Amino acid sequence: MISLFAQLFLAIQKQIMAEVPEIKYIDQDLGQLEIYEGRPAVAWPCVLIDFPDAQYSNHSELVQWADVNISVRLGFAPFSSANSLAPDISKEKALEYYEVENKLYEALQGFTADDCIQPMIRLRAGTETREDAYRVRQMMFTTGTEDDTAKRPVKMKTATLEIEGELDM
């Protein structure tokens, strides 16, 4: 794969699978969690990844620097209640998503995708307001990288030199 976003998606997916085995499903964010009739077609907990914004600046010879924002949405099906009357075991289960979120943060903070990007840095995290019982937390990360996919290969030509005439000495 040549595409910057395809390579980055696959590297992030591989990192999460290796470092956060609690995550059961990782995919591109194509709106799977916005299906409010019935159950979304994901396994829980899930991570959905998107690249909502990238800014580019030119270097030279069709090479650009890319500053890329990465959205990582962590979705959970409801477990149990953490209210003050609930037993401790119920509270622990209800708050488990915070532990998984922290593990996900640790896996991605500073991640460099085999040194093809600058270390990923978390910008913010928050809870999405929803009209259903699912819990969705979103973390935004940023990174930078050089994109040289549009650079043209250098064509080499062999120069020939012919000298006519005689040398006077």
Side-chain angles (χ1 to χ4, degrees), residues 3 32 91 95 109 123 126 149 158:
S3 163
Q32 296 93 320
K91 290 178 192 178
L95 299 174
Q109 180 73 8
L123 297 175
T149 55
T158 305

Side-chain angles (χ1 to χ4, degrees), residues 44-149:
W44 304 101
C46 69
V47 166
L48 302 176
I49 301 166
D50 194 18
F51 307 99
D53 184 53
Q55 294 183 357
Y56 299 91
S57 59
N58 284 324
H59 277 242
S60 62
E61 298 180 20
L62 301 176
V63 175
Q64 291 188 310
W65 181 260
D67 290 313
V68 179
N69 289 333
I70 304 161
S71 168
V72 178
R73 295 175 72 206
L74 176 60
F76 286 90
F79 289 122
S80 55
S81 178
N83 73 61
S84 63
L85 301 176
D88 287 345
I89 189 103
S90 178
K91 290 178 192 178
E92 287 175 19
K93 189 66 175 167
L95 299 174
E96 190 175 86
Y97 66 88
Y98 285 128
E99 298 302 316
V100 175
E101 178 184 344
N102 193 67
K103 208 168 172 184
L104 181 61
Y105 158 70
E106 289 175 0
L108 297 179
Q109 180 73 8
F111 178 61
T112 62
D114 296 325
D115 296 323
C116 73
I117 59 170
Q118 295 291 314
M120 288 176 56
I121 304 297
R122 181 176 59 181
L123 297 175
R124 64 183 175 275
T127 301
E128 294 182 9
T129 303
R130 299 190 52 88
E131 298 176 12
D132 56 21
Y134 299 110
R135 178 82 170 176
V136 179
R137 297 277 298 165
Q138 181 183 38
M139 287 188 280
M140 290 295 293
F141 289 85
T142 189
T143 189
T145 190
E146 191 174 79
D147 186 353
D148 63 357
T149 55

